[in-house]
Amino acid sequence: MQASIPLREVLWHWGRIGVIGFGGPPAHISLLRRLCVVNKKWLSDDYFEDAIATCNLLPGPASTQLSILCAWSVAGLPGALVGGIAFITPGLIAIIALSSVFLASSAPQWVLAAGAGASSSLAIVALHSGFTLIPASWRRTPSRPRWSVYVVAGICTAVLAGSWVVVVLIACGVTEVLVRRVRNVSMSMAPVFALATAMNMDTVRDGITGSLVWTAFKVGALSYGGGFVIIPLIFNDAVERFAWMTESQFLDAVVLGQITPGPVVHTMSAVGFAAGGISGALVAALVAFGPSFVFVGFGARHFDKIRLNVSIRSFLDGAGPAAIGAIIGVAIPLAVNLSEQWQFVFVALSALVVFVVKRSTFFTLVLMAALGVVVVQAGMSLPS
């Protein structure tokens, strides 16, 4: 622990980041660095960089785990609880409020138009998210041929069998461990692999609550890579298996997770809202974010050992590229789910804004939402 500050100060600063933290993990990391390293000097720059690297070793939402770890570092376990909750809550409130409008069966036309416009840019946002992760992963890999295989495996799984993404990520990680002939392949991974496999065997069949808990658990405890990796994980459950929402509503939920402050995993809260109203959203949030508190609360003192563990590093060198592939691959089903011709024009326009003009993905989503309202008011059809 690098500092010791009052809990009320943790509540204020982490709550503020939760309110203004639009833009996903890059924005969260920047805000936490500015607070903890630059302005308050509670943490050293080296310590903060190690914290980022350590959180990227864990399944689940990395920026949420980073916020909890930073709060733990300055105020111990009570600080981790207060800081993590303060970081998550503003976005949770926002996404529940927006879900009540965007996911309503009788939503106003302008709301549906905004959702259709913003969802048109999701494929490009996913591509951008995946591409930004490639350089660091490519430089770090010990084998570029194997790296390429893992990326292709992630892409193919996201496109063809999204509900199996976790299994493929873990399989790629274990493969890399075995290829390097590291003995005693992480015993801790065995139960995780078993759980990931079990999720596809329909072991959770009873009621919305049990199904929702299992879906949220996959997001919070079994997903590597964060961000768009969660889309193929939950699409099958939310739309096809349990029919909590339509494909169009699911795309709206993904958009809401992108444009609200705080972690993108709030998408799971929107799915929970569709499945069971406000109580469903709260259950989904609790289960999706709960593992992050457990990982940091029980593992913070051992993070240096975790980072230096050869088996874990090898595992991540296999799972990491597969996660990148899954993020890139999810762009295809996101595009395929579009139904109106003007939405495909928006895809091209989004690519221009993101890759040529180089505006943020948040800006692109909001711009496409506004343009969606305009074109529908001009007479274009809404997606069926």
Side-chain angles (χ1 to χ4, degrees):
M1 193 181 302
Q2 307 295 300
S4 180
I5 65 173
L7 290 180
R8 64 178 180 275
E9 197 165 353
V10 174
L11 178 64
W12 165 254
H13 288 296
W14 269 253
R16 177 178 174 274
I17 292 174
V19 170
I20 67 174
F22 295 91
H28 305 155
I29 292 172
S30 176
L31 290 168
L32 286 166
R33 186 196 300 276
R34 188 181 310 162
L35 170 66
C36 296
V37 178
V38 178
N39 293 343
K40 296 295 185 178
K41 302 188 186 311
W42 290 325
L43 306 176
S44 69
D45 194 61
D46 288 344
Y47 185 95
F48 188 81
E49 292 299 324
D50 287 345
I52 296 173
T54 300
C55 290
N56 283 324
L57 302 181
L58 302 173
S63 64
T64 300
Q65 291 159 353
L66 180 63
S67 73
I68 297 171
L69 178 56
C70 288
W72 177 89
S73 300
V74 301
L77 184 58
L81 294 173
V82 171
I85 293 171
F87 174 74
I88 292 168
T89 301
L92 177 60
I93 294 172
I95 204 164
I96 290 176
L98 290 172
S99 295
S100 68
V101 177
F102 277 80
L103 304 184
S105 58
S106 57
Q109 185 185 64
W110 73 268
V111 169
L112 298 175
S119 62
S120 302
S121 64
L122 285 176
I124 301 303
V125 173
L127 286 177
H128 179 266
S129 298
F131 289 162
T132 57
L133 297 172
I134 287 176
S137 180
W138 181 254
R139 288 192 299 267
R140 188 177 63 242
T141 182
S143 171
R144 291 181 174 178
R146 289 201 304 275
W147 183 93
S148 301
V149 170
Y150 299 146
V151 169
V152 171
I155 292 174
C156 293
T157 306
V159 173
L160 302 175
S163 61
W164 289 85
V165 164
V166 168
V167 176
V168 171
L169 298 187
I170 294 176
C172 289
V174 173
T175 298
E176 184 64 20
V177 173
L178 295 175
V179 166
R180 298 190 198 184
R181 299 179 181 179
V182 177
R183 295 184 178 181
N184 300 322
V185 179
S186 186
M187 293 301 294
S188 62
M189 291 178 190
V192 173
F193 183 76
L195 285 172
T197 304
M199 80 180 188
N200 292 289
M201 301 307 293
D202 293 328
T203 56
V204 181
R205 298 175 182 269
D206 300 326
I208 288 178
T209 301
S211 304
L212 184 62
V213 165
W214 188 243
T215 303
F217 180 76
K218 289 186 286 186
V219 170
L222 300 177
S223 61
Y224 290 88
F228 280 92
V229 169
I230 70 173
I231 293 176
L233 279 181
I234 60 181
F235 174 82
N236 184 65
D237 288 355
V239 176
E240 298 177 353
R241 183 179 300 175
F242 301 117
W244 296 323
M245 57 207 320
T246 65
E247 290 182 358
S248 178
Q249 288 176 321
F250 180 78
L251 292 177
D252 287 345
V254 176
V255 170
L256 295 180
Q258 293 285 320
I259 65 173
T260 49
V264 177
V265 171
H266 278 314
T267 294
M268 189 62 231
S269 302
V271 172
F273 183 89
I278 293 177
S279 60
L282 295 176
V283 168
L286 177 64
V287 176
F289 290 111
S292 294
F293 288 92
V294 174
F295 291 148
V296 176
F298 288 96
R301 289 182 174 83
H302 308 290
F303 274 1
D304 285 340
K305 293 180 180 178
I306 292 173
R307 289 191 63 213
L308 296 175
N309 184 283
V310 174
S311 294
I312 292 177
R313 286 304 324 163
S314 299
F315 176 83
L316 290 169
D317 285 338
I324 293 173
I327 293 172
I328 294 172
V330 80
I332 295 176
L334 285 173
V336 168
N337 282 325
L338 302 177
S339 59
E340 299 297 322
Q341 290 185 348
W342 64 264
Q343 290 184 292
F344 293 99
V345 175
F346 275 32
V347 172
L349 182 58
S350 299
L352 179 67
V353 173
V354 171
F355 291 111
V356 179
V357 182
K358 298 189 182 302
R359 298 304 299 265
S360 70
T361 54
F362 174 77
F363 173 87
T364 305
L365 288 163
V366 173
L367 175 62
M368 294 304 117
L371 291 178
V373 175
V374 171
V375 300
V376 170
Q377 289 295 321
M380 295 294 181
S381 301
L382 281 168
S384 58

